[in-house]
Short mmCIF file of all heavy atoms in Angstrom, two decimals:
data_model
loop_
_atom_site.label_atom_id
_atom_site.label_comp_id
_atom_site.label_asym_id
_atom_site.label_seq_id
_atom_site.Cartn_x
_atom_site.Cartn_y
_atom_site.Cartn_z
N PRO A 83 -18.14 -4.47 -23.12
CA PRO A 83 -16.98 -3.85 -23.78
C PRO A 83 -16.07 -3.10 -22.81
O PRO A 83 -14.84 -3.22 -22.88
CB PRO A 83 -17.61 -2.91 -24.81
CG PRO A 83 -19.07 -2.94 -24.64
CD PRO A 83 -19.43 -4.05 -23.73
N VAL A 84 -16.68 -2.37 -21.85
CA VAL A 84 -15.84 -1.57 -20.93
C VAL A 84 -15.00 -2.50 -20.04
O VAL A 84 -13.78 -2.36 -19.93
CB VAL A 84 -16.72 -0.64 -20.07
CG1 VAL A 84 -15.91 -0.02 -18.93
CG2 VAL A 84 -17.34 0.44 -20.93
N TYR A 85 -15.66 -3.51 -19.47
CA TYR A 85 -14.92 -4.39 -18.54
C TYR A 85 -13.94 -5.27 -19.32
O TYR A 85 -12.85 -5.57 -18.83
CB TYR A 85 -15.88 -5.26 -17.74
CG TYR A 85 -16.89 -4.47 -16.93
CD1 TYR A 85 -18.16 -4.98 -16.67
CD2 TYR A 85 -16.60 -3.20 -16.44
CE1 TYR A 85 -19.10 -4.28 -15.94
CE2 TYR A 85 -17.54 -2.48 -15.71
CZ TYR A 85 -18.79 -3.01 -15.47
OH TYR A 85 -19.70 -2.29 -14.76
N SER A 86 -14.31 -5.62 -20.57
CA SER A 86 -13.37 -6.45 -21.36
C SER A 86 -12.11 -5.66 -21.66
O SER A 86 -11.00 -6.21 -21.61
CB SER A 86 -14.04 -6.89 -22.67
OG SER A 86 -15.21 -7.62 -22.38
N LEU A 87 -12.27 -4.35 -21.90
CA LEU A 87 -11.07 -3.52 -22.15
C LEU A 87 -10.20 -3.49 -20.89
O LEU A 87 -8.97 -3.66 -20.95
CB LEU A 87 -11.51 -2.10 -22.53
CG LEU A 87 -10.36 -1.09 -22.76
CD1 LEU A 87 -9.51 -1.52 -23.97
CD2 LEU A 87 -10.92 0.33 -22.95
N TYR A 88 -10.86 -3.34 -19.73
CA TYR A 88 -10.11 -3.32 -18.46
C TYR A 88 -9.41 -4.67 -18.25
O TYR A 88 -8.22 -4.74 -17.91
CB TYR A 88 -11.09 -3.04 -17.31
CG TYR A 88 -10.44 -2.81 -15.96
CD1 TYR A 88 -10.13 -1.53 -15.52
CD2 TYR A 88 -10.12 -3.89 -15.14
CE1 TYR A 88 -9.53 -1.33 -14.28
CE2 TYR A 88 -9.51 -3.70 -13.91
CZ TYR A 88 -9.23 -2.41 -13.49
OH TYR A 88 -8.62 -2.22 -12.27
N ILE A 89 -10.13 -5.75 -18.53
CA ILE A 89 -9.58 -7.11 -18.33
C ILE A 89 -8.37 -7.32 -19.23
O ILE A 89 -7.32 -7.80 -18.80
CB ILE A 89 -10.68 -8.15 -18.64
CG1 ILE A 89 -11.74 -8.13 -17.52
CG2 ILE A 89 -10.10 -9.56 -18.81
CD1 ILE A 89 -13.02 -8.87 -17.88
N TRP A 90 -8.53 -6.86 -20.48
CA TRP A 90 -7.42 -7.03 -21.45
C TRP A 90 -6.24 -6.15 -21.06
O TRP A 90 -5.09 -6.58 -21.03
CB TRP A 90 -7.93 -6.63 -22.85
CG TRP A 90 -6.84 -6.67 -23.88
CD1 TRP A 90 -6.30 -7.76 -24.49
CD2 TRP A 90 -6.12 -5.52 -24.38
NE1 TRP A 90 -5.30 -7.38 -25.35
CE2 TRP A 90 -5.17 -6.01 -25.33
CE3 TRP A 90 -6.21 -4.13 -24.16
CZ2 TRP A 90 -4.32 -5.16 -26.03
CZ3 TRP A 90 -5.36 -3.30 -24.87
CH2 TRP A 90 -4.42 -3.82 -25.78
N THR A 91 -6.51 -4.92 -20.63
CA THR A 91 -5.42 -3.98 -20.29
C THR A 91 -4.61 -4.46 -19.09
O THR A 91 -3.39 -4.41 -19.07
CB THR A 91 -6.02 -2.58 -19.96
OG1 THR A 91 -6.88 -2.20 -21.01
CG2 THR A 91 -4.92 -1.54 -19.77
N PHE A 92 -5.34 -4.98 -18.07
CA PHE A 92 -4.63 -5.31 -16.81
C PHE A 92 -4.49 -6.81 -16.58
O PHE A 92 -4.08 -7.24 -15.50
CB PHE A 92 -5.36 -4.66 -15.63
CG PHE A 92 -5.32 -3.15 -15.68
CD1 PHE A 92 -6.48 -2.43 -15.91
CD2 PHE A 92 -4.13 -2.46 -15.55
CE1 PHE A 92 -6.45 -1.04 -15.98
CE2 PHE A 92 -4.09 -1.06 -15.64
CZ PHE A 92 -5.26 -0.36 -15.84
N GLY A 93 -4.89 -7.61 -17.57
CA GLY A 93 -4.67 -9.06 -17.44
C GLY A 93 -5.44 -9.69 -16.30
O GLY A 93 -4.92 -10.47 -15.51
N VAL A 94 -6.73 -9.32 -16.19
CA VAL A 94 -7.56 -9.86 -15.11
C VAL A 94 -8.00 -11.28 -15.50
O VAL A 94 -8.35 -11.53 -16.65
CB VAL A 94 -8.80 -8.96 -14.89
CG1 VAL A 94 -9.72 -9.55 -13.84
CG2 VAL A 94 -8.37 -7.54 -14.52
N ASN A 95 -7.97 -12.21 -14.53
CA ASN A 95 -8.40 -13.59 -14.80
C ASN A 95 -9.82 -13.78 -14.25
O ASN A 95 -10.02 -14.03 -13.07
CB ASN A 95 -7.44 -14.58 -14.13
CG ASN A 95 -7.90 -16.02 -14.32
OD1 ASN A 95 -8.94 -16.27 -14.96
ND2 ASN A 95 -7.18 -16.95 -13.76
N MET A 96 -10.82 -13.62 -15.12
CA MET A 96 -12.21 -13.65 -14.66
C MET A 96 -12.64 -15.07 -14.25
O MET A 96 -13.66 -15.24 -13.59
CB MET A 96 -13.15 -13.11 -15.74
CG MET A 96 -13.20 -11.60 -15.80
SD MET A 96 -13.53 -10.83 -14.20
CE MET A 96 -15.27 -11.16 -14.01
#
Side-chain angles (χ1 to χ4, degrees):
Chain A
V84 169
Y85 302 149
S86 301
L87 177 64
Y88 187 93
I89 288 166
W90 176 77
T91 309
F92 296 112
V94 177
N95 177 0
M96 280 309 285

